[in-house]
Structures are given as structure tokens and as C-alpha cells.
Amino acid sequence: MRKPIFALVDCNNFYASCERVFDPKLAGRPVVVLSNNDGCVVARSNEAKALGIPMGIPFFEVRQTIEKHGVLALSSNYTLYADMSGRVMETLSHFTPHIEVYSIDEAFLDLSGIPEDPSACGRRMRQTVRQWTGIPVSIGIGPTKTLAKAANKLAKTSRKADGVLDLTDSPWLEEALRRIEVRDVWGVGRQICKKLKAAGIHTALDLRGANLDWIKNQFGVQGVRTVSELRGQRCYELEENPPAKKGITVSRGFGRPITALVPLQEATSLYAARAGEKLRAEGLAAGVMSIFIMTSRFAEKSKRYLRHCAVPFDTATDDTQDLIAAAVSAVEQLYRAGYEYKKSGVMLLELVPRDRAQRGLFDSKDRDRSRRLMATLDQINRTRSVGIQWAAEGIEKPWQTRFTRKTPRYTTSWADLPQIR
DNA sequence: TCTGGGGTCCTAGGACCC
DNA sequence: TCTGGGGTCCTAGGACCC
């Protein structure tokens, strides 16, 4: 098999660029796009970046800067971004069928089957995407995905690269890696970065030269893969046919805290319907639905509250009515004490292919898993209902298994929890 | 007191990505 | 006052089976 040549095509400031396509007056002006409820900055034009507005910052923290410099702050429009993403991906597929859509604004391509020089091909892609969709992209090329990512990083910032950089067999590879901070390497996050820096590893080049045994010892196989990929040894392939999803979540924060049941039910109904759409689009059916309601993550401890409830389906379903009915009744069970709820959501779990579910083949393994999940939850509810003192982690555990990121570390003691009849 | 070994599955926690 | 949303993978250790 031919060695792949990976290209990473990444849309520049994607959401901000989408907005500009439809409102050319925004060109040259600093623009930021805000998250749900205009809570945080989730995209910035180059002009906004130059003003020092960080990614992900709460809007109220940069309001002054925004007003002072006349930054345009726009609410997000995900329907628009999804549509634009589709157009960009479609354009790229004219160059090669070997494409992995990696996120809403990124795709990996394998250029090895294209006779043209990869760099020249990259320039043509860049120009074509710009022409056909109005979206500016940067392209990094390399023998591994990690190196393509690294090349992309420099393609964005280097004037000389002008949006396209090929590091395959490049005499500049070392110099390029020297210029990339270790925290910008694909696979290096906050925690790993901290440890690397403590060990004197500051750049991608340092990381490439790190002792592999030490890396394995400190960071496990993922670390070894990252370093190997920096050395040009391929650990990740192009995934043209991504595996089926393992869970689907739809959740939103409310603009302001709510205390009534009806709006909670209205919101979760909508999420259930939306989750159903996603489910059908993936050709899946759900064996279990989990619903949660919670207070603000930032509330003081005594005012925090989080509960969730899992509902098993006899037969895995993708039917909107089933999903909504389950969500509405579950929320009612969860809604007990007069807390100020800030967020709710619906998760679909134990996903199986729709055709199998329709034939009633929700097999023993699926059933076993669902039963176990339910048993865990039952136990918690039993414990609560008889008023036995239970550890704070009791309620957290089933939650944490499903929400590993940004897990609310609620330390509510049992005494703080509302009574259950 | 001595008290196998290997395989699989699952959970909980910790990291990462966009 | 205001603080996004949605994913994946890896590992250690325990339960359980033969």
C-alpha cells in the first residue's frame, strides 16, 4: 500500500469567517462569535485575536474591551456553520475521495494518490475553497497526522508559508518543530504540558527528541504515539468511515435560573426531539435515555444540585414520541426541591444499529449492560429514599462515568439534599 | 502456613480533541 | 447579573470464570 501523505485543511476562525461570508461589511473589522446564551467567546477574527481577546472567555469579562474597540459580537448560528462546513467538505472532496471529516471546520485528506506536488495541490485547494465558499483555510501537509497538524499551525502564522506548508521530507522540519510550542502539539493538553515543561521540554522539537521509555512511563501509549508521529512514524490512519457513535448528548444552559417544572419539561422535550434527529441521522437506536438537571456550576456549594435518571427502553428506539415521553416523565421525577436550575440535558446511551433494533435484536449484551446501569441507579435511589446516610460520591458515580469532561465536582453532603418521599 | 494462572469484562478516573 | 456543548480513548484494578 502506498504511504499516505496527510493534509490537514483547517478553516480559519471558522464561525467568524462564516458570518463574514454573509455580511461582507464585517471584513477587516474585529468580530467575535458567542456561545449559547451569549455566554462565552467561541470564535474570533484575526483582528479580535490581536486585541488579546482569549478563546473561551466569558463575555462579561471582555465586554469593556469589546465596547472600547468596537468589536462586533454576534450570537452563534450553528445551522449556518453546519451548512457552510458541508460546502467546504464537498469542495475538498473534488480533490480526493480519501477524506476524513475531523470536525466542523477541519478535514484530513490523503494526497498520496494525486500526481501533483502536494504543496501545489494545497494551494489549489485553498484557492478553490475560497472561491466556491468564501471561507479562508490553512493547509498543513506531512507524513503523519501529527506532523500535518504541526505544519498547519505554522501555515496559519507564517507569512512565508502563506496558508500552505508541506513538511514532508522538508529540510525545514527541525526549524519548524523548534518554532512550535509543546502545548500546541496535537495530543498535548494542559496536564501533559505542565509535566513536559517541568522536564525541560518546551518545543515540539524537544518532544520529538524525548526519551521514549520516559514518555511511555509518564504518559502511556498515547504519549508514545504522539512522539512517534513527530518522528514521522505513522500511528494514526485516515478514518474515511468513522465508527458509529457511542452516545448522543443534547444539553443547554438556560439564560437565567428557572425553578418551575414546565419550562424544564419543555426544554428537555426539545432536546429529546433533537437527540432523536441525530440518532436517526446516524442510523442508530437508543437502549437507554439518561436525563439530567443541574444548578449552576458556579453556585456556592450549598446551592448546588444535580440529579439524573436513566430510562431503559424495552426495545431500542429511535422514535421521537418515545424519547419525548421518557424525557418528560423523567424530568418530573427529578424535579423535587426548589433549586434554581441552570442546565438540563438528554443523553442517549447503549446505541445499536437501527435495523437490529427494529428486528427486536437488542441482544443479551446490550440488555446486560442496560440492566447493570439501571441497577446502579436503583441502588442510589433506594439509598436516598430510606434516608440512609450515603456518601456524596454515591450520586456522582454514574454521572461521572458518562461525563468525564467538566464533571461538576459536587460535594453536596447528604444533609443538603432535598427529602424524597 | 501453604494457598495457580490466564483471560475477559466492567468501572472509575483521568487525559485529550474540536 | 453574566461563566458553551459534544465527543473519544487509555489504564488500573476488581470481579468473575475456567
Side-chain angles (χ1 to χ4, degrees), chain A residues 99-290:
Chain A
I99 174 168
E100 172 189 343
V101 176
Y102 180 66
S103 74
I104 194 167
D105 70 337
E106 278 176 70
F108 284 106
L109 280 67
D110 178 6
L111 301 184
S112 63
I114 298 173
E116 194 178 6
D117 167 65
S119 222
C121 178
R123 300 212 170 276
R124 222 154 44 81
M125 282 197 279
R126 187 165 185 262
Q127 200 199 338
T128 309
V129 173
R130 184 74 198 234
Q131 212 172 329
W132 292 8
T133 70
I135 299 290
V137 300
S138 300
I139 301 178
I141 301 165
T144 65
K145 283 181 162 181
T146 304
L147 284 170
K149 271 272 190 185
N152 187 283
K153 176 84 192 161
L154 291 177
K156 273 199 165 46
T157 48
S158 153
R159 188 165 269 238
K160 214 168 96 192
D162 190 29
V164 180
L165 180 62
D166 180 7
L167 288 179
T168 315
D169 300 322
S170 164
W172 303 109
L173 179 58
E174 278 206 8
E175 183 51 33
L177 294 181
R178 199 192 319 275
R179 290 189 194 186
I180 295 175
E181 288 188 52
V182 77
R183 66 150 184 262
D184 291 328
V185 173
W186 195 42
V188 176
R190 281 241 308 277
Q191 304 304 318
I192 290 177
C193 180
K194 214 191 297 178
K195 277 196 192 174
L196 288 174
K197 292 214 160 166
I201 295 169
H202 298 280
T203 68
L205 186 65
D206 294 342
L207 183 57
R208 190 183 74 160
N211 178 298
L212 217 51
D213 289 333
W214 182 79
I215 292 286
K216 166 88 170 96
N217 184 273
Q218 293 291 308
F219 310 111
V221 295
Q222 295 279 46
V224 172
R225 284 184 189 143
T226 296
V227 173
S228 303
E229 285 239 319
L230 284 175
R231 294 176 182 178
Q233 294 152 8
R234 202 168 65 248
C235 300
Y236 303 109
E237 305 293 340
L238 195 75
E239 287 203 25
E240 296 178 54
N241 303 302
K245 280 205 177 10
K246 297 178 175 176
I248 288 173
T249 305
V250 179
S251 73
R252 295 283 180 281
F254 302 110
R256 52 191 54 179
I258 58 174
T259 53
L261 175 59
V262 170
L264 276 177
Q265 285 179 317
E266 283 171 353
T268 36
S269 302
L270 277 176
Y271 306 157
R274 177 70 192 118
E277 286 171 23
K278 290 186 178 185
L279 194 63
R280 290 188 292 275
E282 301 277 336
L284 299 171
V288 172
M289 171 190 272
S290 179

Side-chain angles (χ1 to χ4, degrees), chain A residues 250-254 258 263-265 267-268 271 291-294 331 341-346:
Chain A
V250 179
S251 73
R252 295 283 180 281
F254 302 110
I258 58 174
L264 276 177
Q265 285 179 317
T268 36
Y271 306 157
I291 295 90
F292 71 88
I293 58 177
M294 62 187 281
V331 170
Y341 299 106
K342 198 63 206 293
K343 186 172 179 176
S344 70
V346 165

Side-chain angles (χ1 to χ4, degrees), chain A residues 303-325:
Chain A
K303 292 185 178 169
R304 286 185 213 165
Y305 177 84
L306 174 155
R307 282 199 75 196
H308 82 134
C309 160
V311 182
F313 298 108
D314 290 338
T315 307
T317 183
D318 65 353
D319 181 78
T320 306
Q321 296 308 318
D322 290 349
L323 300 177
I324 290 181

